[in-house]
């Protein structure tokens, strides 16, 4: 029997890789502290295609794809979900700061107890009959999205013994080019689980990692109703030269 | 501005991202319809049951403008209404099944002779791009690759209108993944 994998071992690996950070914006696909990455990252370097067409354009979504209720995760069932009601809003922009307009933003998250309505989630925490935890909306002309939901709970997972994910909301975002596609996770400020989590720590650059953490914004909180968080999203690539030269 | 870092899609996207008919860009029996299917494999050669593939392509005339309606909603109860059966949106999304298998039904893209693919999976911290060519188009990317690597991007005809395309994330026969940065 192999030794159970301890947090101490994972934390040591996290520290070693942080010390060797190349300052990149994205995680390395080969990040051993996240054990599942082991067999699921390419060994060969990525190939820059001499030319790209479809990747410089992207799918479009519109009024038919989203209903207004989709952006309020607290109103998808007859009753109110349990938990701390929050709003999350921000802008989707490209690397030049230009708003991404009319594009689809999708979110999914655990309920307040840290449980997903997915049969593979075996966390012995209660499901909430009044909360599914999925939402979608289109960005407005300023690139802005907004969701009303409840604050998700932390949850355990099997990466190592006593592994817990910090509370997070999964985001899926489209840009104007397919090459700008982003799937990521938004975290909540000051979560004590940050240093222990190999998924968040896979972003080894401190400044880049901070960009995954929303800001609490008291101006966005609504009296007697909800707490407000702000989180802006900057989509990467394709580089300006790609777009201009159509390489 | 510095970009927002990527994070894995994780294991639990299945109730949020896939949608009914997500892989059916055209209805059954559509003239000129082709089916493309295959498996996603990990570095041990095992099928990956929790990967999500997205496809984006030109229509038959080579138009890359795209159309809304991939995820059409029912305004009465908010459920997925499905595609309208007429509009070609150019976008498809398919989760692998428990056996690691996926299927796409589409038409041959006009213009650029490939279907762009984006791969997400539990364990994959940053998505990967590749391309499906329905035949060896001999374009600039394919001709730049050695033969064995080139072959990973070309779907194999199985029978009339049916093509096989496997995605190998790592190791022997590893798929060519693209740097679009
Ligand atoms: Fe999660």
């Amino acid at each position: 029997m192999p030794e159970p994998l301890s947090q101490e071992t994972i934390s040591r690996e996290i520290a070693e890789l942080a010390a060797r950070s190349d300052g990149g914006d994205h995680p390395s696909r080969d990040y051993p502290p996240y054990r599942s990455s082991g067999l699921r990252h390419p060994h060969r370097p990525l190939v820059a295609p001499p030319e790209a067409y479809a990747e410089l354009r992207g799918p479009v979504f519109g009024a038919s794809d989203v209903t207004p209720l989709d952006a309020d995760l607290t109103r998808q069932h007859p009753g109110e979900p349990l938990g701390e009601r929050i709003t999350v809003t921000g802008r989707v922009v490209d690397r030049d700061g230009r708003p991404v307009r009319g594009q689809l933003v999708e979110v999914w998250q655990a309920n307040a107890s840290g449980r997903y309505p997915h049969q593979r989630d075996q966390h012995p925490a209660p499901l909430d009959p009044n909360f599914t935890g999925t939402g979608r909306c289109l960005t407005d002309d300023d690139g802005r999205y907004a969701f009303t939901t409840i604050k998700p709970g932390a949850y355990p997972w099997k990466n190592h013994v006593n592994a817990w994910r910090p509370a997070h909301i999964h985001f899926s975002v489209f840009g104007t080019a397919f090459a700008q596609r982003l799937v990521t996770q938004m975290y909540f400020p000051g979560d004590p689980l940050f240093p222990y989590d190999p998924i968040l720590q896979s972003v080894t650059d401190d400044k880049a990692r901070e960009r995954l953490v929303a800001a609490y914004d008291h101006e966005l909180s609504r009296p007697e109703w909800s707490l407000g968080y702000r989180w802006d999203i900057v989509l990467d690539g394709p580089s300006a030269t790609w777009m201009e030269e159509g390489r | 501005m510095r970009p927002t870092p990527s994070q894995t899609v994780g294991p639990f996207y299945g109730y949020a991202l896939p949608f009914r008919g997500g892989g059916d860009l055209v209805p059954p029996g559509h003239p000129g319809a082709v089916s493309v299917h295959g498996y996603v494999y990990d570095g041990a050669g095992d099928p990956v049951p929790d990967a999500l593939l997205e496809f984006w392509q030109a229509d038959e005339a080579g138009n890359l403008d795209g159309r809304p309606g991939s995820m059409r909603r029912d305004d009465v109860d908010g459920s997925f209404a499905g595609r309208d059966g007429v509009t070609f949106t150019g976008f498809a999304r398919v989760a692998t099944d428990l056996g690691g298998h996926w299927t796409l039904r589409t038409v041959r893209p006009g213009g650029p002779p490939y279907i762009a693919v984006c791969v997400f999976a539990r364990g994959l911290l940053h998505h990967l791009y590749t391309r499906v060519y329905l035949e060896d188009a001999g374009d600039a990317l394919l001709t730049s690759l050695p033969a064995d690597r080139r072959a990973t991007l070309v779907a194999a005809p199985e029978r009339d209108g049916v093509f096989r395309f496997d995605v190998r994330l790592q190791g022997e026969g590893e798929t060519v993944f693209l740097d679009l940065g």
Side-chain angles (χ1 to χ4, degrees):
Chain A
M1 273 273 289
E3 280 284 291
L5 187 55
S6 68
Q7 179 72 55
E8 194 185 356
T9 300
I10 293 294
S11 291
R12 190 178 337 110
E13 294 177 10
I14 287 173
E16 282 164 8
L17 290 162
R20 303 209 311 259
S21 174
D22 63 0
D25 294 307
H26 296 288
S28 167
R29 294 181 180 88
D30 179 14
Y31 188 73
Y34 177 29
R35 287 296 192 261
S36 304
S37 73
L39 290 169
R40 294 183 171 198
H41 68 273
H43 284 160
R44 306 268 207 145
L46 303 189
V47 174
E51 53 199 15
Y53 303 98
E55 293 91 347
L56 302 183
R57 308 289 295 278
V60 296
F61 300 91
S64 61
D65 293 305
V66 175
T67 73
L69 265 183
D70 292 337
D72 189 341
L73 288 70
T74 68
R75 293 175 61 194
Q76 297 172 352
H77 297 276
E80 288 270 333
L82 293 171
E84 186 181 317
R85 190 182 296 106
I86 63 171
T87 58
V88 181
T89 187
R91 293 178 72 222
V92 181
V93 300
D94 67 14
R95 291 195 62 158
D96 295 323
R98 294 175 299 203
V100 174
R101 299 188 167 108
Q103 262 300 7
L104 182 70
V105 179
E106 297 163 280
V107 294
W108 70 104
Q109 61 168 88
N111 69 21
S113 305
R115 177 82 187 266
Y116 288 93
H118 190 296
Q119 67 175 8
R120 218 176 298 159
D121 184 358
Q122 295 300 312
H123 181 199
L127 286 167
D128 183 342
N130 291 313
F131 191 73
T132 303
T134 66
R136 61 188 65 75
C137 73
L138 298 179
T139 55
D140 68 13
D141 279 354
D142 202 27
R144 191 166 300 281
Y145 71 86
F147 292 102
T148 299
T149 182
I150 52 94
K151 190 175 177 191
Y155 61 84
W157 60 310
K158 300 242 185 302
N159 189 67
H160 55 277
V161 175
N162 213 17
W164 289 84
R165 295 299 328 281
H168 59 274
I169 298 177
H170 295 266
F171 271 73
S172 159
V173 187
F174 289 83
T176 51
F178 198 51
Q180 289 175 302
R181 192 81 177 85
L182 177 70
V183 166
T184 188
Q185 302 178 25
M186 184 209 91
Y187 298 86
F188 291 85
D191 194 318
L193 291 169
F194 286 167
Y196 305 102
D197 178 37
I199 291 183
L200 174 59
Q201 298 298 328
S202 70
V203 181
T204 52
D205 181 67
D206 294 345
K207 284 268 175 292
R209 206 166 53 248
E210 283 165 18
R211 294 199 291 276
L212 290 175
V213 183
Y216 171 70
D217 187 337
H218 201 61
E219 295 290 302
L220 290 176
S221 293
R222 287 163 58 195
E224 323 290 323
W225 187 249
S226 59
L227 294 177
Y229 290 88
R230 182 180 303 283
W231 189 56
D232 292 330
I233 298 168
V234 181
L235 299 183
D236 202 356
S239 68
T241 41
W242 260 93
M243 293 300 267
E244 281 153 23
E245 296 168 16
R247 208 157 43 140
Chain B
M1 299 179 78
R2 306 304 306 178
T4 304
S6 169
Q7 295 269 268
T8 178
V9 74
F12 299 135
Y13 57 83
Y15 71 101
L17 297 182
F19 52 95
R20 190 158 39 82
D24 303 331
L25 270 168
V26 295
H30 184 86
V34 294
S35 290
V36 188
H37 77 113
Y39 292 83
V40 179
Y41 294 108
D42 70 12
D46 291 325
V48 174
D50 42 18
L52 182 76
L53 303 185
E54 288 182 349
F55 302 90
W56 161 242
Q57 65 167 90
D59 66 15
E60 285 170 292
N63 189 314
L64 275 168
D65 288 342
R67 291 282 181 278
S70 299
M71 302 184 185
R72 223 162 51 93
R73 309 284 285 178
D74 183 320
D75 188 39
V76 175
D77 63 7
S79 64
F80 277 108
R83 300 176 199 269
D84 64 14
V86 176
T87 306
F88 186 80
T89 70
F91 175 71
R93 178 187 276 170
V94 191
T96 53
D97 65 19
L98 289 171
H101 185 252
W102 58 271
T103 306
L104 171 74
R105 184 170 58 234
T106 186
V107 289
R108 291 171 186 273
Y114 62 87
I115 302 167
V117 186
C118 188
V119 182
F120 303 91
R122 179 180 67 84
L124 183 59
L125 283 159
H126 191 180
H127 59 260
L128 289 163
Y129 293 104
T130 186
R131 292 177 178 178
V132 179
Y133 289 83
L134 292 180
E135 53 261 309
D136 192 326
D139 72 350
L141 172 63
L142 290 178
T143 52
S144 74
L145 297 167
D148 60 329
R149 302 229 72 207
R150 178 172 180 159
T152 70
L153 300 183
V154 182
E158 277 191 340
R159 57 181 190 273
D160 198 27
V162 179
F163 293 83
R164 171 78 178 262
F165 184 87
D166 293 332
V167 175
R168 295 177 191 276
L169 293 173
Q170 186 186 86
E172 181 88 25
E174 184 176 299
T175 300
V176 169
F177 297 108
L178 303 178
D179 176 5
L180 298 171

